[in-house]
Each structure stands twice: as C-alpha cells, then as structure tokens.
Amino acid sequence: MAVIHHTTLTPSKLELLTSWLPTQPWYEGNGRRPELTKAGGFRLDDPQGEVGMEFMVVTDVSGDRPVSYHVPLTYRGAPLEGADRALIGTTEHGVLGRRWIYDGTHDPVLAAQLHALFVGDVEAQDQNVSDTPDPSVTRSFTGAAASGPIRPTAVADAPHATDIVVDAATAEGTVDGGRGGRLTMRVTRVLRPGEADIAEVADVLGHVAAGWRLPDGAEVRGVFAVVTDAPR
C-alpha cells in the first residue's frame, strides 16, 4: 500500500511539468510555456512498496482552449538506472527527502502494474487518500493472462500517445493473435472526453478509462490507455 503524505514538494510537480511538457512531441502548445492546473488522476501501488506511481491529469490553460494531458509519473528514492532521458526532475519531499520523478512510461514497475490493472489483478487507488480504491477507474481485457513477468522492450512516442511494448508470454506462449507474446500498451497523452477512441485503435484487447475536471468544473471521462496484441 502506498502511503500518501500530505506535505511539501520543492519544486512542486506542476513546476517540474511546466518545464518538461514543452519538450515532449505530443505537447500542443507550440513551444509556449504552459499554465498548468491539476485536473485529476489515480494511483497504483508497487507490490514492493518502493516506487510511487501516479497517473496525473494536468490541464494547460495558456492557449485559446484548454488542453488536458495525461502524465504517468513514478517517484523513486534513488535514480532509475538507464532512464536518464525519462527523468522529469528531482524534488525535496517534506517527509521522504530527495525524490527522483520520472516519466512513468519508461519505468518497468509502472509498466508491470499498468498491465496488472488492464487484466484486473490490481485496483486503481485514490489519487489523494491512502489505501482507498478508486472505483471510478474502469478497465477491460479480453486477451490471455500472462504467465510470467512483464518485460518492457521499447517505448515510443506517437502524436498524441506513448506506446509501451512489453513481452507478456502466456502459458501457451503467446497472447491472443499469436504474435509471440508481445503487447503494446498505448498510453493516451492528449485526453479527449468520451470513450469512443477505443474503437479507433486496431486489435484492441482492453482499455483503462477514468475521469478528470475541466476548467469550468465539468466532470468528464475518457480513455487513459488501451492495450493491443500487435507492436505499433
């Protein structure tokens, strides 16, 4: 169980993301400095209790229209080996001390737990309260269950998403579709209200959907990630 400490972060997550977001290929601000507000999200627990994981939504209100971004984050007490390019920044936590904050799509712990969420082996947790499931986060999966560890093999950005390719062998040696046990978890980066986006991705085996708040206070839902049986 991840314990959520209500304390200070210096610099804050929003301050770090304000510098990091414009460097990402899916950022729609054309180099403009974003004006970010926290708009929602959820957490997952690390079974080992070492890595914090948050699927954060931030909304940029700097342009003519607000744009909501989905930014999976991992929080670590030491650098993640080989992940320098995924480092968003470091911060001083009021209780835990120095924390390294990463783009979670490059973190193998987050990849494994996201897969576990797809298949129903774990529950999404409340973003702000310890040991509290978030039933508003929904998921589906129609493939075969993996029989061993989930091993990320590649991460690539798309115009509005990030693809995490993993090896996920089943007892029969493959996932549905017979592609050698490889799955692609496509993490939505630019969120759009509505769940119709699921149908726009070929070979979909499952999805994760959740909610966030618009600047006018409206509550909306959309697709945070889908999983397919084919490297994209």
Side-chain angles (χ1 to χ4, degrees), residues 46-128:
D46 174 11
Q48 304 303 316
E50 297 292 333
V51 179
M53 287 174 279
E54 181 176 8
F55 293 75
M56 177 181 280
V57 180
V58 293
T59 297
D60 178 17
V61 296
S62 65
D64 295 336
R65 61 178 181 86
V67 180
S68 295
Y69 297 98
H70 174 211
V71 187
L73 302 172
T74 56
Y75 311 107
R76 288 176 168 266
L80 174 60
E81 185 176 355
D84 289 352
R85 74 186 184 98
L87 181 67
I88 293 173
T90 60
T91 187
E92 290 296 326
H93 189 282
V95 176
L96 302 174
R98 177 69 57 87
R99 307 299 286 174
W100 281 256
I101 300 181
Y102 288 94
D103 174 1
T105 61
H106 293 263
D107 195 312
V109 173
L110 185 139
Q113 292 307 104
L114 178 58
H115 179 271
L117 177 62
F118 274 119
V119 303
D121 287 343
V122 301
E123 288 183 294
Q125 299 293 307
D126 189 275
Q127 189 175 26
N128 301 304

Side-chain angles (χ1 to χ4, degrees), residues 2 19-20 40 48 50 76 109 115 124 140 182-183 191 201 229:
S19 298
W20 179 78
Q48 304 303 316
E50 297 292 333
R76 288 176 168 266
V109 173
H115 179 271
S140 68
R182 301 187 77 191
L183 291 172
L191 292 170
V201 181
D229 68 356

Side-chain angles (χ1 to χ4, degrees), residues 71-219:
V71 187
L73 302 172
T74 56
Y75 311 107
R76 288 176 168 266
L80 174 60
E81 185 176 355
D84 289 352
R85 74 186 184 98
L87 181 67
I88 293 173
T90 60
T91 187
E92 290 296 326
H93 189 282
V95 176
L96 302 174
R98 177 69 57 87
R99 307 299 286 174
W100 281 256
I101 300 181
Y102 288 94
D103 174 1
T105 61
H106 293 263
D107 195 312
V109 173
L110 185 139
Q113 292 307 104
L114 178 58
H115 179 271
L117 177 62
F118 274 119
V119 303
D121 287 343
V122 301
E123 288 183 294
Q125 299 293 307
D126 189 275
Q127 189 175 26
N128 301 304
V129 184
S130 300
D131 194 25
T132 302
D134 184 348
S136 72
V137 179
T138 58
R139 39 70 52 193
S140 68
F141 187 72
T142 59
S147 61
I150 300 300
R151 295 178 296 274
T153 60
V155 179
D157 286 313
H160 298 97
T162 299
D163 290 341
I164 310 170
V165 181
V166 299
D167 285 333
T170 68
E172 292 77 27
T174 64
V175 294
D176 285 2
R179 298 178 187 269
R182 301 187 77 191
L183 291 172
T184 296
M185 299 187 294
R186 170 160 285 190
V187 176
T188 307
R189 293 298 201 165
V190 181
L191 292 170
R192 309 294 188 203
E195 300 187 27
D197 291 344
I198 300 169
E200 297 178 6
V201 181
D203 306 315
V204 169
L205 297 176
H207 81 288
V208 172
W212 70 96
R213 293 174 303 282
L214 298 179
D216 64 4
E219 300 281 344

